[in-house]
Amino acid sequence: MPQPQPDIGLRLHLKPYQRPHPPIGVAGVSANSETLVLAGERGYIPMSINFVPPRILKTHWEGVETGARRAGRVVDRTTWRIARDVYVADTDARARREAIGGTLGRDYRDYFLRLLPKLRGFDMLKVDPAMPDAEVTLEYLCDNIWIVGSPDTVARKLATLSDDVGGFGTLLVIAHEWTPRGAWERSMRLLAEEVVPRLSRAGAARSRAAGRGSSRSPRRPRRGRGR
């Protein structure tokens, strides 16, 4: 059992008292996370940390599937929860400026970018493992890891993230100190009222397109024949 590390907020996890216990969710961080293999084995809710790129996220779900096979379980991607730092504003330029210059940028500059060298280094933040550490800047994170932009841009980035990892069930939006509060409240309203409907419409359009494609398939059942 690791010793607590107060400087990075590491504490012990307590075993639940309830029998049966509430649903348990566990988060994976590094590539090929053994924690998520355990999630697959035991039926825990799999979650992925907020700052790793799709190349690592894909190994997280692979780990869940590996654990599930070991235990004879069947897993469903809709149970997978991916955390992301999300900030939405009226324009891309405004969103980028406020994200980097606000509490989101501050928390990475003063916490994550100081914490990670103590643990695993910057490799897990890199879309390309060969890129030098010096290129892992707030600007790089804003453009490649965070989900920042106008409603159209954020919807596109979330759709791309889903496509890149093969689909997932729930987006967990990381909460930072809401300063200035009005800007963060507006970001959440834009996410709920403008981004989510865009994603829903895009998903419905894909479903209709898939349906039209299948209807032209030569393998469709003949009329009067049961499926």
Side-chain angles (χ1 to χ4, degrees), residues 12-226:
L12 303 180
H13 293 282
L14 300 179
K15 186 176 181 179
Y17 285 105
Q18 292 95 328
R19 298 288 183 178
H21 61 72
I24 294 175
V26 294
V29 179
S30 57
N32 306 303
S33 168
E34 285 297 323
T35 300
L36 292 180
V37 173
L38 182 67
E41 288 180 350
R42 300 191 179 183
Y44 295 163
I45 298 168
M47 301 184 291
S48 293
I49 199 71
N50 54 309
F51 48 68
V52 295
R55 68 177 181 87
I56 292 179
L57 290 174
K58 287 187 283 190
T59 72
H60 285 181
W61 184 251
E62 290 166 0
V64 175
E65 291 181 321
T66 296
R69 283 195 298 270
R70 290 179 186 173
R73 292 180 177 272
V74 176
V75 288
D76 181 353
R77 278 183 178 269
T78 61
T79 64
W80 185 20
R81 303 178 183 185
I82 294 180
R84 272 299 182 263
D85 297 284
V86 179
Y87 188 81
V88 194
D90 294 323
T91 67
D92 290 343
R94 180 174 181 176
R96 193 172 189 274
R97 180 177 66 251
E98 293 178 350
I100 293 173
T103 53
L104 174 50
R106 178 204 65 187
D107 290 350
Y108 270 82
R109 181 186 66 243
D110 296 344
Y111 181 68
F112 286 118
L113 295 183
R114 295 184 182 185
L115 167 68
L116 292 176
K118 291 186 176 185
L119 301 177
R120 300 175 177 88
F122 286 160
D123 287 353
M124 66 179 61
L125 299 173
K126 300 174 181 179
V127 294
D128 178 1
M131 65 184 288
D133 288 355
E135 292 183 8
V136 180
T137 63
L138 295 182
E139 290 75 14
Y140 159 81
L141 293 167
C142 186
D143 294 337
N144 295 277
I145 305 297
W146 306 343
I147 307 293
V148 170
S150 67
D152 282 334
T153 296
V154 168
R156 174 178 53 78
K157 288 183 175 181
L158 288 173
T160 299
L161 174 65
S162 181
D163 289 343
D164 286 347
V165 303
F168 64 100
T170 301
L171 172 70
L172 300 178
V173 177
I174 296 297
H176 296 262
E177 181 185 357
W178 280 24
T179 303
R181 186 175 182 86
W184 279 98
E185 288 179 340
R186 178 162 177 74
S187 173
M188 293 301 291
R189 283 197 300 270
L190 290 172
L191 178 62
E193 297 173 3
E194 297 198 25
V195 175
V196 171
R198 282 168 167 79
L199 290 171
S200 298
R201 289 193 294 269
R206 287 187 185 185
S207 296
R208 290 194 297 271
R212 289 194 297 270
S214 63
S215 68
R216 293 192 295 269
S217 169
R219 295 185 180 182
R220 75 177 187 274
R222 293 191 298 271
R223 181 174 296 177
R225 180 180 178 182

